[in-house]
Amino acid sequence: MVEHLSDEARPLGMVPTMGALHPGHLSLIERAVKENKTILISIFINPTQFNDKTDLKSYPVNIDEDLHLIRKISENILVYVPEVYDVYGNMVKSKSFDLEGLDQVMEGEKRSGHFQGVATVVAHFLKTFSPDHAYFGEKDFQQLLVIDHIARSLSLKTKIIGCPTMRESDGLAMSSRNILLSSDQRKLASKLFEGLQFAKSNAKKFPYKTLKSMVAAFFEKHNELTLDYFKITDPKTLQEIHLDKYGDNGRGFIAAYLGKIRLIDNLDMS
């Protein structure tokens, strides 16, 4: 496959995924089709980015449906579906990268080793195929910054392109995990985006310390929905802003549990 991706096939656009494709993924693929001569999609559920093995086992898998959705966009898209051995050999272990603290906050703090696993597999794919462009959704904004940092620190030729979050009609960020929600949970899930919009609408009116309390109170109204964290950070370093500052220049991040399902979202506060 690498030999096939010669100069004649360039520019090459790659969309790394873990499958269970939804319209958010498809929007990345459609953009890649517009901007490149050749498209490569990887479907690989990366074991090293799961700190919870039950989460890995429950991750949705539907390769036939994924291939059907890709084929509807174009018959000429290359799809790479490696086994774990193809990526890791006999040693299923993350490499260690200096991520300059991007992996130590929020999702990195909650999910130990997660971003080292992400960095390991994405670096492997980018080194192997040397795509000209690689596309990732802003729904996982922290992941996007980690991957962009990896590409620059390793001096890879790939340009990392972040694409806007695709949302359901009620604002819920599209995610492969959404299919795990019951119908009642699904109705409540849009409250994550509501909370972010509430924070954005008040970011210029109240200092961050007050805003955090207001968002916490917003979620206390809904017992079934448990807020894990709400933070406003610098959009480049992900360092939390000072409690006495106003958050309208930052980016808001939220994580919450619906039963055992954990959902995340983020929004520019400006």
Side-chain angles (χ1 to χ4, degrees):
M1 186 182 277
V2 171
E3 288 175 2
H4 174 74
L5 301 173
S6 60
D7 290 345
E8 292 77 37
R10 303 285 171 165
L12 169 65
M14 185 172 186
V15 183
T17 81
M18 294 209 302
L21 302 185
H22 54 69
H25 293 114
L26 302 183
S27 70
L28 303 181
I29 298 170
E30 287 165 353
R31 178 165 174 183
V33 167
K34 288 179 184 175
E35 297 179 357
N36 301 275
K37 186 174 181 181
T38 306
I39 312 303
L40 173 62
I41 314 298
S42 61
I43 299 176
F44 179 64
I45 300 176
N46 176 32
T48 64
Q49 67 190 69
F50 288 84
N51 58 316
D52 182 346
K53 297 308 174 192
T54 57
D55 193 19
L56 174 59
K57 286 180 181 176
S58 66
Y59 198 84
V61 179
N62 194 340
I63 188 69
D64 291 335
E65 177 64 14
D66 291 343
L67 294 174
H68 173 69
L69 291 170
I70 292 168
R71 202 173 291 123
K72 282 173 72 173
I73 294 175
S74 172
E75 297 271 348
N76 298 317
I77 293 174
L78 298 169
V79 183
Y80 178 49
V81 190
E83 299 292 336
V84 173
Y85 179 83
D86 300 325
V87 176
Y88 288 99
N90 291 320
M91 185 75 86
V92 184
K93 185 179 177 184
S94 298
K95 294 183 179 177
S96 182
F97 297 90
D98 179 4
L99 300 176
E100 295 188 350
L102 294 171
D103 59 328
Q104 300 298 312
V105 297
M106 293 185 296
E107 292 306 288
E109 191 176 9
K110 298 289 181 177
R111 303 166 68 187
S112 176
H114 170 71
F115 287 114
Q116 294 294 341
V118 170
T120 297
V121 75
V122 173
H124 171 76
F125 287 150
L126 298 186
K127 285 179 176 179
T128 301
F129 298 109
S130 297
D132 300 279
H133 308 110
Y135 298 82
F136 298 87
E138 289 184 355
K139 185 251 174 186
D140 295 298
F141 193 85
Q142 187 173 5
Q143 172 180 274
L144 175 62
L145 291 192
V146 165
I147 290 168
D148 186 59
H149 172 75
I150 284 295
R152 287 185 287 104
S153 65
L154 297 178
S155 300
L156 303 178
K157 58 173 274 188
T158 305
K159 181 180 180 183
I160 305 301
I161 298 174
C163 302
T165 302
M166 294 290 286
R167 299 185 178 278
E168 305 287 357
S169 58
D170 61 357
L172 176 64
M174 291 183 179
S175 168
S176 302
R177 295 178 191 276
N178 292 352
I179 64 173
L180 302 173
L181 298 170
S182 69
S183 57
D184 288 342
Q185 288 173 333
R186 174 62 191 83
K187 291 171 188 172
L188 276 170
S190 62
K191 296 296 178 187
L192 265 79
F193 187 54
E194 271 187 50
L196 284 171
Q197 287 182 307
F198 171 78
K200 179 171 181 166
S201 66
N202 287 288
K204 286 183 179 177
K205 301 175 187 174
F206 300 96
Y208 178 43
K209 176 170 55 181
T210 305
L211 196 60
K212 276 179 83 81
S213 299
M214 292 168 69
V215 170
F218 175 90
F219 279 93
E220 282 170 8
K221 297 175 191 171
H222 307 283
N223 294 334
E224 305 92 334
L225 193 61
T226 305
L227 182 65
D228 190 2
Y229 65 73
F230 165 71
K231 293 187 180 184
I232 297 179
T233 77
D234 180 293
K236 293 181 180 176
T237 67
L238 299 184
Q239 293 303 303
E240 195 168 9
I241 66 169
H242 194 278
L243 287 170
D244 293 328
K245 300 279 188 183
Y246 288 77
D248 52 305
N249 290 321
R251 194 168 192 97
F253 293 84
I254 203 162
Y257 284 95
L258 268 167
K260 294 183 179 179
I261 311 301
R262 188 169 179 276
L263 302 175
I264 63 171
D265 202 351
N266 67 89
L267 190 67
D268 181 0
M269 293 284 107
S270 61

